[in-house]
Amino acid sequence: MNSEPIVNKSILLLLFLIIGLSACGGISKSSSSPFNLPSTSPAKVVEDYLAALKKQDFLKTYEFITIGYAGNLDKESYKITMEQGPLKKYSWSLLNYQITGVRIIGDQAYVSSELGVQFKPLNSESKIQKTIEVQYVLAPLENKWKITSDYCVSNCSEEDLVGKTSNKPIDSN
């Protein structure tokens, strides 16, 4: 019996296997997104932002936001504004936070979070603790995800913050 055809078949099979595996490896490395997105996740950026906010380290929080989100202020002006603004007026503090969801659509990311906050409403002597839901919107700038805006999703009434009661009539329809 001739062993040469078995050797040739084995070499061909091995060659096809190597070519097939290298083709699969090339496919797994390719990006399906036409956008050049930053390697750090948007959730990590929001988490780092909230960690700095919890410590009230406003120079650090500035690293994770766009200048538009900072009210077109430079780093030092932003820090002063944050220290002297509503945080001081309402004795506001971030107690805890949790990232609850992330969605990337094109070159924008949406990060949902629950924030445990504490503040003292105007016309009140005691502090209130509550959990609010906030969604952060991020965009890639300078190869980093940056927070461009945020939206309160639930449990964020202005009346709670300023200590007013609503005088709006209840719609009976």
Side-chain angles (χ1 to χ4, degrees):
M1 180 167 213
N2 189 357
S3 66
E4 191 173 316
I6 295 173
V7 172
N8 285 341
K9 287 181 182 178
S10 297
I11 291 174
L12 281 174
L13 182 62
L14 184 61
L15 185 60
F16 284 123
L17 188 63
I18 290 172
I19 291 171
L21 288 176
S22 66
C24 289
I27 291 170
S28 67
K29 291 180 182 176
S30 69
S31 172
S32 62
S33 172
F35 304 104
N36 186 16
L37 300 177
S39 60
T40 303
S41 76
K44 177 72 172 141
V45 171
V46 172
E47 186 176 340
D48 290 347
Y49 168 78
L50 292 172
L53 185 61
K54 183 177 180 181
K55 294 177 187 175
Q56 296 194 2
D57 183 350
F58 302 117
L59 293 177
K60 186 73 174 169
T61 61
Y62 194 86
E63 295 175 18
F64 305 107
I65 62 176
T66 62
I67 192 162
Y69 188 79
N72 294 322
L73 299 172
D74 64 17
K75 200 175 207 180
E76 199 57 42
S77 299
Y78 172 77
K79 177 183 181 260
I80 292 167
T81 300
M82 291 298 287
E83 289 172 343
Q84 300 302 318
L87 296 182
K88 183 177 182 180
K89 184 176 181 179
Y90 299 110
S91 300
W92 187 93
S93 61
L94 178 60
L95 303 174
N96 53 58
Y97 55 89
Q98 180 179 355
I99 305 299
T100 57
V102 179
R103 181 175 215 144
I104 299 174
I105 302 173
D107 64 347
Q108 282 196 320
Y110 301 87
V111 178
S112 300
S113 61
E114 285 186 354
L115 310 179
V117 298
Q118 177 175 285
F119 59 91
K120 187 176 101 174
L122 291 177
N123 306 321
S124 176
E125 294 300 318
S126 59
K127 290 186 176 185
I128 293 175
Q129 290 185 7
K130 65 192 246 180
T131 301
I132 60 175
E133 292 181 55
V134 177
Q135 181 178 49
Y136 294 93
V137 180
L138 295 85
L141 299 170
E142 301 169 3
N143 204 27
K144 293 180 182 176
W145 285 108
K146 298 275 188 165
I147 299 170
T148 60
S149 62
D150 65 36
Y151 300 96
C152 180
V153 176
S154 70
N155 209 17
C156 303
S157 70
E158 185 178 334
E159 288 81 18
D160 285 344
L161 187 60
V162 295
K164 294 180 183 176
T165 57
S166 178
N167 292 329
K168 295 178 188 174
I170 299 172
D171 188 4
S172 59
N173 293 335

Short mmCIF file of all heavy atoms in Angstrom, two decimals, residues 100-156:
data_model
loop_
_atom_site.label_atom_id
_atom_site.label_comp_id
_atom_site.label_asym_id
_atom_site.label_seq_id
_atom_site.Cartn_x
_atom_site.Cartn_y
_atom_site.Cartn_z
N THR A 100 -26.75 51.52 35.73
CA THR A 100 -27.82 50.55 35.51
C THR A 100 -27.98 50.14 34.05
O THR A 100 -28.68 49.17 33.77
CB THR A 100 -29.17 51.10 36.01
OG1 THR A 100 -29.43 52.36 35.35
CG2 THR A 100 -29.13 51.31 37.52
N GLY A 101 -27.34 50.86 33.14
CA GLY A 101 -27.45 50.48 31.73
C GLY A 101 -26.57 51.33 30.84
O GLY A 101 -26.25 52.47 31.18
N VAL A 102 -26.17 50.73 29.71
CA VAL A 102 -25.34 51.43 28.73
C VAL A 102 -25.85 51.06 27.35
O VAL A 102 -26.14 49.90 27.07
CB VAL A 102 -23.85 51.01 28.83
CG1 VAL A 102 -23.02 51.71 27.78
CG2 VAL A 102 -23.31 51.27 30.21
N ARG A 103 -25.94 52.06 26.51
CA ARG A 103 -26.32 51.82 25.11
C ARG A 103 -25.49 52.74 24.23
O ARG A 103 -25.45 53.95 24.48
CB ARG A 103 -27.80 52.08 24.92
CG ARG A 103 -28.24 51.82 23.52
CD ARG A 103 -29.73 51.97 23.37
NE ARG A 103 -30.15 50.98 22.41
CZ ARG A 103 -31.27 50.33 22.45
NH1 ARG A 103 -32.10 50.55 23.43
NH2 ARG A 103 -31.58 49.48 21.52
N ILE A 104 -24.84 52.15 23.23
CA ILE A 104 -24.07 52.94 22.27
C ILE A 104 -24.81 52.89 20.95
O ILE A 104 -25.10 51.82 20.43
CB ILE A 104 -22.64 52.39 22.11
CG1 ILE A 104 -21.90 52.45 23.45
CG2 ILE A 104 -21.88 53.17 21.03
CD1 ILE A 104 -20.53 51.80 23.44
N ILE A 105 -25.14 54.06 20.45
CA ILE A 105 -25.83 54.18 19.16
C ILE A 105 -24.97 55.10 18.29
O ILE A 105 -24.88 56.31 18.56
CB ILE A 105 -27.25 54.75 19.32
CG1 ILE A 105 -28.08 53.85 20.25
CG2 ILE A 105 -27.91 54.90 17.96
CD1 ILE A 105 -29.44 54.40 20.60
N GLY A 106 -24.36 54.52 17.28
CA GLY A 106 -23.46 55.30 16.43
C GLY A 106 -22.28 55.79 17.23
O GLY A 106 -21.58 55.01 17.86
N ASP A 107 -22.11 57.10 17.24
CA ASP A 107 -20.99 57.67 18.00
C ASP A 107 -21.48 58.39 19.25
O ASP A 107 -20.81 59.30 19.75
CB ASP A 107 -20.14 58.59 17.12
CG ASP A 107 -20.89 59.80 16.62
OD1 ASP A 107 -22.13 59.83 16.75
OD2 ASP A 107 -20.24 60.73 16.10
N GLN A 108 -22.62 57.99 19.78
CA GLN A 108 -23.11 58.50 21.06
C GLN A 108 -23.38 57.35 22.00
O GLN A 108 -23.78 56.27 21.58
CB GLN A 108 -24.40 59.31 20.89
CG GLN A 108 -24.18 60.70 20.35
CD GLN A 108 -25.41 61.57 20.57
OE1 GLN A 108 -26.53 61.12 20.40
NE2 GLN A 108 -25.18 62.81 20.94
N ALA A 109 -23.14 57.61 23.28
CA ALA A 109 -23.40 56.60 24.30
C ALA A 109 -24.38 57.17 25.31
O ALA A 109 -24.35 58.37 25.61
CB ALA A 109 -22.11 56.19 24.99
N TYR A 110 -25.24 56.31 25.82
CA TYR A 110 -26.22 56.68 26.83
C TYR A 110 -25.98 55.78 28.04
O TYR A 110 -26.05 54.56 27.91
CB TYR A 110 -27.64 56.50 26.29
CG TYR A 110 -27.89 57.33 25.05
CD1 TYR A 110 -27.58 56.85 23.79
CD2 TYR A 110 -28.41 58.61 25.17
CE1 TYR A 110 -27.78 57.62 22.66
CE2 TYR A 110 -28.63 59.39 24.04
CZ TYR A 110 -28.31 58.89 22.79
OH TYR A 110 -28.51 59.66 21.68
N VAL A 111 -25.70 56.39 29.17
CA VAL A 111 -25.41 55.63 30.38
C VAL A 111 -26.45 56.01 31.43
O VAL A 111 -26.55 57.18 31.82
CB VAL A 111 -23.98 55.92 30.90
CG1 VAL A 111 -23.72 55.15 32.19
CG2 VAL A 111 -22.95 55.56 29.84
N SER A 112 -27.21 55.03 31.88
CA SER A 112 -28.23 55.24 32.91
C SER A 112 -27.63 54.92 34.27
O SER A 112 -26.83 54.00 34.40
CB SER A 112 -29.44 54.33 32.66
OG SER A 112 -29.99 54.61 31.41
N SER A 113 -28.07 55.67 35.27
CA SER A 113 -27.53 55.46 36.61
C SER A 113 -28.57 55.81 37.66
O SER A 113 -29.48 56.60 37.42
CB SER A 113 -26.29 56.32 36.82
OG SER A 113 -26.62 57.68 36.69
N GLU A 114 -28.41 55.18 38.81
CA GLU A 114 -29.20 55.54 39.99
C GLU A 114 -28.26 56.24 40.96
O GLU A 114 -27.17 55.75 41.24
CB GLU A 114 -29.78 54.29 40.66
CG GLU A 114 -30.93 53.69 39.93
CD GLU A 114 -31.57 52.54 40.70
OE1 GLU A 114 -31.04 52.13 41.75
OE2 GLU A 114 -32.60 52.04 40.23
N LEU A 115 -28.69 57.39 41.44
CA LEU A 115 -27.88 58.17 42.37
C LEU A 115 -28.61 58.31 43.69
O LEU A 115 -29.76 58.72 43.72
CB LEU A 115 -27.61 59.58 41.81
CG LEU A 115 -27.08 59.69 40.38
CD1 LEU A 115 -26.90 61.15 40.01
CD2 LEU A 115 -25.80 58.92 40.21
N GLY A 116 -27.92 57.98 44.76
CA GLY A 116 -28.43 58.26 46.09
C GLY A 116 -27.91 59.63 46.50
O GLY A 116 -26.70 59.83 46.60
N VAL A 117 -28.81 60.59 46.66
CA VAL A 117 -28.40 61.96 46.96
C VAL A 117 -29.00 62.42 48.28
O VAL A 117 -29.99 61.88 48.75
CB VAL A 117 -28.80 62.94 45.82
CG1 VAL A 117 -28.11 62.58 44.52
CG2 VAL A 117 -30.30 62.97 45.63
N GLN A 118 -28.37 63.44 48.84
CA GLN A 118 -28.86 64.06 50.07
C GLN A 118 -28.77 65.57 49.88
O GLN A 118 -27.80 66.08 49.34
CB GLN A 118 -27.98 63.64 51.24
CG GLN A 118 -28.37 64.28 52.56
CD GLN A 118 -27.53 63.72 53.69
OE1 GLN A 118 -27.75 62.61 54.12
NE2 GLN A 118 -26.55 64.49 54.13
N PHE A 119 -29.81 66.27 50.31
CA PHE A 119 -29.81 67.73 50.21
C PHE A 119 -30.78 68.31 51.22
O PHE A 119 -31.62 67.60 51.79
CB PHE A 119 -30.18 68.19 48.79
CG PHE A 119 -31.52 67.70 48.33
CD1 PHE A 119 -32.67 68.45 48.53
CD2 PHE A 119 -31.64 66.47 47.70
CE1 PHE A 119 -33.90 68.00 48.11
CE2 PHE A 119 -32.87 66.01 47.27
CZ PHE A 119 -34.00 66.78 47.49
N LYS A 120 -30.66 69.60 51.43
CA LYS A 120 -31.56 70.30 52.35
C LYS A 120 -32.35 71.32 51.53
O LYS A 120 -31.80 72.29 51.04
CB LYS A 120 -30.75 71.01 53.43
CG LYS A 120 -31.61 71.61 54.53
CD LYS A 120 -30.76 72.21 55.63
CE LYS A 120 -30.72 73.69 55.38
NZ LYS A 120 -30.06 74.44 56.41
N PRO A 121 -33.65 71.07 51.37
CA PRO A 121 -34.47 72.01 50.60
C PRO A 121 -34.51 73.39 51.27
O PRO A 121 -34.32 73.50 52.48
CB PRO A 121 -35.86 71.39 50.61
CG PRO A 121 -35.64 69.96 50.96
CD PRO A 121 -34.42 69.93 51.82
N LEU A 122 -34.76 74.40 50.46
CA LEU A 122 -34.98 75.73 51.03
C LEU A 122 -36.18 75.67 51.96
O LEU A 122 -37.07 74.85 51.77
CB LEU A 122 -35.24 76.76 49.93
CG LEU A 122 -34.05 77.08 49.02
CD1 LEU A 122 -34.49 78.06 47.94
CD2 LEU A 122 -32.89 77.65 49.81
N ASN A 123 -36.21 76.51 52.95
CA ASN A 123 -37.31 76.57 53.93
C ASN A 123 -37.44 75.27 54.73
O ASN A 123 -38.53 74.89 55.15
CB ASN A 123 -38.65 76.89 53.25
CG ASN A 123 -38.58 78.14 52.42
OD1 ASN A 123 -37.94 79.11 52.81
ND2 ASN A 123 -39.23 78.13 51.27
N SER A 124 -36.33 74.56 54.90
CA SER A 124 -36.36 73.32 55.67
C SER A 124 -35.12 73.26 56.55
O SER A 124 -34.07 73.75 56.19
CB SER A 124 -36.38 72.13 54.72
OG SER A 124 -36.30 70.93 55.46
N GLU A 125 -35.29 72.64 57.70
CA GLU A 125 -34.16 72.47 58.60
C GLU A 125 -33.51 71.10 58.46
O GLU A 125 -32.39 70.90 58.89
CB GLU A 125 -34.62 72.67 60.06
CG GLU A 125 -35.07 74.09 60.37
CD GLU A 125 -33.96 75.11 60.15
OE1 GLU A 125 -32.80 74.84 60.54
OE2 GLU A 125 -34.25 76.18 59.59
N SER A 126 -34.25 70.16 57.88
CA SER A 126 -33.72 68.81 57.79
C SER A 126 -33.32 68.44 56.36
O SER A 126 -33.86 68.98 55.39
CB SER A 126 -34.74 67.81 58.32
OG SER A 126 -35.93 67.90 57.57
N LYS A 127 -32.40 67.50 56.27
CA LYS A 127 -31.94 67.03 54.98
C LYS A 127 -32.83 65.89 54.50
O LYS A 127 -33.40 65.15 55.29
CB LYS A 127 -30.50 66.55 55.06
CG LYS A 127 -29.52 67.68 55.26
CD LYS A 127 -28.10 67.18 55.18
CE LYS A 127 -27.13 68.36 55.29
NZ LYS A 127 -25.75 67.91 55.09
N ILE A 128 -32.92 65.76 53.19
CA ILE A 128 -33.70 64.71 52.54
C ILE A 128 -32.73 63.79 51.80
O ILE A 128 -31.79 64.26 51.17
CB ILE A 128 -34.70 65.31 51.53
CG1 ILE A 128 -35.76 66.12 52.25
CG2 ILE A 128 -35.33 64.23 50.67
CD1 ILE A 128 -36.71 66.84 51.31
N GLN A 129 -32.99 62.50 51.88
CA GLN A 129 -32.25 61.53 51.07
C GLN A 129 -33.22 60.90 50.09
O GLN A 129 -34.35 60.57 50.47
CB GLN A 129 -31.63 60.44 51.94
CG GLN A 129 -30.51 60.92 52.80
CD GLN A 129 -29.85 59.77 53.56
OE1 GLN A 129 -30.17 58.60 53.37
NE2 GLN A 129 -28.95 60.12 54.45
N LYS A 130 -32.79 60.75 48.86
CA LYS A 130 -33.63 60.09 47.87
C LYS A 130 -32.78 59.50 46.77
O LYS A 130 -31.62 59.88 46.60
CB LYS A 130 -34.70 61.02 47.33
CG LYS A 130 -34.21 62.21 46.54
CD LYS A 130 -35.33 63.20 46.31
CE LYS A 130 -35.72 63.34 44.89
NZ LYS A 130 -36.79 64.27 44.65
N THR A 131 -33.37 58.60 46.03
CA THR A 131 -32.71 57.99 44.88
C THR A 131 -33.31 58.57 43.62
O THR A 131 -34.53 58.60 43.48
CB THR A 131 -32.89 56.46 44.91
OG1 THR A 131 -32.34 55.95 46.12
CG2 THR A 131 -32.19 55.81 43.73
N ILE A 132 -32.44 59.05 42.74
CA ILE A 132 -32.89 59.60 41.47
C ILE A 132 -32.26 58.79 40.34
O ILE A 132 -31.24 58.13 40.53
CB ILE A 132 -32.54 61.10 41.33
CG1 ILE A 132 -31.04 61.33 41.42
CG2 ILE A 132 -33.27 61.91 42.39
CD1 ILE A 132 -30.61 62.75 41.17
N GLU A 133 -32.88 58.84 39.19
CA GLU A 133 -32.33 58.19 38.01
C GLU A 133 -31.90 59.26 37.01
O GLU A 133 -32.68 60.16 36.70
CB GLU A 133 -33.36 57.27 37.36
CG GLU A 133 -33.70 56.07 38.22
CD GLU A 133 -34.71 55.16 37.55
OE1 GLU A 133 -34.46 54.74 36.40
OE2 GLU A 133 -35.75 54.90 38.17
N VAL A 134 -30.67 59.14 36.55
CA VAL A 134 -30.11 60.11 35.62
C VAL A 134 -29.52 59.37 34.43
O VAL A 134 -28.88 58.32 34.60
CB VAL A 134 -29.01 60.96 36.31
CG1 VAL A 134 -28.38 61.94 35.32
CG2 VAL A 134 -29.59 61.71 37.50
N GLN A 135 -29.73 59.91 33.24
CA GLN A 135 -29.11 59.36 32.04
C GLN A 135 -28.09 60.36 31.54
O GLN A 135 -28.40 61.54 31.34
CB GLN A 135 -30.15 59.09 30.95
CG GLN A 135 -29.53 58.48 29.70
CD GLN A 135 -30.56 58.17 28.66
OE1 GLN A 135 -31.41 58.98 28.33
NE2 GLN A 135 -30.49 56.95 28.13
N TYR A 136 -26.86 59.89 31.34
CA TYR A 136 -25.78 60.71 30.81
C TYR A 136 -25.61 60.41 29.33
O TYR A 136 -25.69 59.25 28.90
CB TYR A 136 -24.47 60.42 31.55
CG TYR A 136 -24.53 60.84 33.01
CD1 TYR A 136 -24.90 59.92 33.99
CD2 TYR A 136 -24.24 62.14 33.40
CE1 TYR A 136 -24.99 60.31 35.32
CE2 TYR A 136 -24.32 62.52 34.72
CZ TYR A 136 -24.69 61.61 35.68
OH TYR A 136 -24.78 61.99 36.99
N VAL A 137 -25.35 61.45 28.56
CA VAL A 137 -25.09 61.30 27.13
C VAL A 137 -23.62 61.62 26.93
O VAL A 137 -23.12 62.64 27.41
CB VAL A 137 -25.97 62.25 26.29
CG1 VAL A 137 -25.68 62.07 24.81
CG2 VAL A 137 -27.45 62.03 26.59
N LEU A 138 -22.92 60.73 26.21
CA LEU A 138 -21.49 60.90 25.97
C LEU A 138 -21.19 60.88 24.48
O LEU A 138 -21.92 60.26 23.70
CB LEU A 138 -20.68 59.78 26.64
CG LEU A 138 -20.71 59.74 28.15
CD1 LEU A 138 -21.90 58.97 28.68
CD2 LEU A 138 -19.44 59.13 28.68
N ALA A 139 -20.11 61.54 24.11
CA ALA A 139 -19.63 61.55 22.73
C ALA A 139 -18.11 61.41 22.76
O ALA A 139 -17.47 61.82 23.73
CB ALA A 139 -20.03 62.85 22.03
N PRO A 140 -17.54 60.83 21.70
CA PRO A 140 -16.08 60.71 21.66
C PRO A 140 -15.43 62.02 21.23
O PRO A 140 -15.72 62.55 20.17
CB PRO A 140 -15.84 59.60 20.63
CG PRO A 140 -17.05 59.63 19.75
CD PRO A 140 -18.18 60.15 20.58
N LEU A 141 -14.58 62.55 22.09
CA LEU A 141 -13.82 63.76 21.80
C LEU A 141 -12.37 63.52 22.18
O LEU A 141 -12.09 63.06 23.30
CB LEU A 141 -14.37 64.96 22.58
CG LEU A 141 -15.81 65.34 22.29
CD1 LEU A 141 -16.30 66.37 23.30
CD2 LEU A 141 -15.93 65.89 20.88
N GLU A 142 -11.46 63.81 21.26
CA GLU A 142 -10.03 63.62 21.50
C GLU A 142 -9.73 62.20 21.95
O GLU A 142 -8.96 61.97 22.88
CB GLU A 142 -9.51 64.65 22.51
CG GLU A 142 -9.71 66.08 22.06
CD GLU A 142 -9.44 67.10 23.16
OE1 GLU A 142 -9.05 66.72 24.27
OE2 GLU A 142 -9.63 68.29 22.87
N ASN A 143 -10.37 61.23 21.31
CA ASN A 143 -10.20 59.81 21.58
C ASN A 143 -10.57 59.40 23.01
O ASN A 143 -10.04 58.45 23.56
CB ASN A 143 -8.79 59.34 21.23
CG ASN A 143 -8.76 57.85 20.93
OD1 ASN A 143 -9.77 57.27 20.51
ND2 ASN A 143 -7.62 57.23 21.17
N LYS A 144 -11.49 60.16 23.62
CA LYS A 144 -12.01 59.84 24.95
C LYS A 144 -13.50 60.07 24.94
O LYS A 144 -13.99 60.99 24.29
CB LYS A 144 -11.39 60.74 26.02
CG LYS A 144 -9.92 60.54 26.24
CD LYS A 144 -9.43 61.49 27.31
CE LYS A 144 -7.94 61.35 27.50
NZ LYS A 144 -7.42 62.32 28.46
N TRP A 145 -14.24 59.24 25.69
CA TRP A 145 -15.65 59.51 25.89
C TRP A 145 -15.76 60.69 26.85
O TRP A 145 -15.07 60.72 27.87
CB TRP A 145 -16.36 58.30 26.51
CG TRP A 145 -16.60 57.18 25.56
CD1 TRP A 145 -15.96 55.98 25.54
CD2 TRP A 145 -17.56 57.13 24.50
NE1 TRP A 145 -16.46 55.19 24.54
CE2 TRP A 145 -17.45 55.87 23.89
CE3 TRP A 145 -18.51 58.02 24.02
CZ2 TRP A 145 -18.24 55.49 22.82
CZ3 TRP A 145 -19.31 57.63 22.95
CH2 TRP A 145 -19.16 56.38 22.36
N LYS A 146 -16.62 61.64 26.54
CA LYS A 146 -16.86 62.80 27.40
C LYS A 146 -18.37 62.97 27.59
O LYS A 146 -19.15 62.77 26.65
CB LYS A 146 -16.30 64.08 26.78
CG LYS A 146 -14.81 64.10 26.58
CD LYS A 146 -14.11 64.53 27.82
CE LYS A 146 -12.63 64.73 27.55
NZ LYS A 146 -11.97 65.46 28.58
N ILE A 147 -18.76 63.35 28.79
CA ILE A 147 -20.17 63.61 29.08
C ILE A 147 -20.55 64.94 28.44
O ILE A 147 -19.92 65.96 28.70
CB ILE A 147 -20.42 63.64 30.60
CG1 ILE A 147 -20.07 62.28 31.22
CG2 ILE A 147 -21.87 64.03 30.90
CD1 ILE A 147 -20.06 62.27 32.74
N THR A 148 -21.59 64.90 27.60
CA THR A 148 -22.05 66.11 26.93
C THR A 148 -23.32 66.69 27.55
O THR A 148 -23.57 67.88 27.45
CB THR A 148 -22.31 65.85 25.43
OG1 THR A 148 -23.33 64.85 25.30
CG2 THR A 148 -21.05 65.41 24.72
N SER A 149 -24.12 65.82 28.17
CA SER A 149 -25.35 66.28 28.82
C SER A 149 -25.86 65.18 29.74
O SER A 149 -25.35 64.06 29.74
CB SER A 149 -26.42 66.63 27.78
OG SER A 149 -26.78 65.50 27.01
N ASP A 150 -26.85 65.55 30.54
CA ASP A 150 -27.53 64.56 31.37
C ASP A 150 -29.00 64.93 31.44
O ASP A 150 -29.38 66.07 31.19
CB ASP A 150 -26.91 64.44 32.76
CG ASP A 150 -27.04 65.70 33.60
OD1 ASP A 150 -28.07 66.40 33.53
OD2 ASP A 150 -26.11 65.99 34.37
N TYR A 151 -29.80 63.93 31.72
CA TYR A 151 -31.24 64.12 31.83
C TYR A 151 -31.74 63.37 33.05
O TYR A 151 -31.41 62.21 33.25
CB TYR A 151 -31.97 63.58 30.58
CG TYR A 151 -31.53 64.26 29.32
CD1 TYR A 151 -30.55 63.69 28.51
CD2 TYR A 151 -32.05 65.48 28.95
CE1 TYR A 151 -30.12 64.31 27.35
CE2 TYR A 151 -31.64 66.12 27.79
CZ TYR A 151 -30.67 65.53 27.00
OH TYR A 151 -30.25 66.16 25.87
N CYS A 152 -32.55 64.03 33.84
CA CYS A 152 -33.18 63.37 34.96
C CYS A 152 -34.29 62.49 34.39
O CYS A 152 -35.13 62.96 33.63
CB CYS A 152 -33.75 64.38 35.93
SG CYS A 152 -34.53 63.58 37.33
N VAL A 153 -34.29 61.24 34.78
CA VAL A 153 -35.27 60.30 34.27
C VAL A 153 -36.45 60.17 35.24
O VAL A 153 -37.59 60.15 34.83
CB VAL A 153 -34.63 58.92 34.00
CG1 VAL A 153 -35.65 57.91 33.55
CG2 VAL A 153 -33.52 59.06 32.97
N SER A 154 -36.15 60.08 36.55
CA SER A 154 -37.25 59.97 37.50
C SER A 154 -36.83 60.44 38.89
O SER A 154 -35.67 60.43 39.24
CB SER A 154 -37.75 58.52 37.58
OG SER A 154 -36.81 57.70 38.21
N ASN A 155 -37.85 60.87 39.64
CA ASN A 155 -37.73 61.27 41.04
C ASN A 155 -36.90 62.54 41.23
O ASN A 155 -36.16 62.67 42.20
CB ASN A 155 -37.16 60.11 41.87
CG ASN A 155 -37.63 60.17 43.30
OD1 ASN A 155 -38.60 60.84 43.63
ND2 ASN A 155 -36.93 59.46 44.16
N CYS A 156 -37.03 63.48 40.32
CA CYS A 156 -36.22 64.70 40.37
C CYS A 156 -37.09 65.95 40.30
O CYS A 156 -36.93 66.78 39.41
CB CYS A 156 -35.26 64.75 39.19
SG CYS A 156 -34.17 63.37 39.06
#
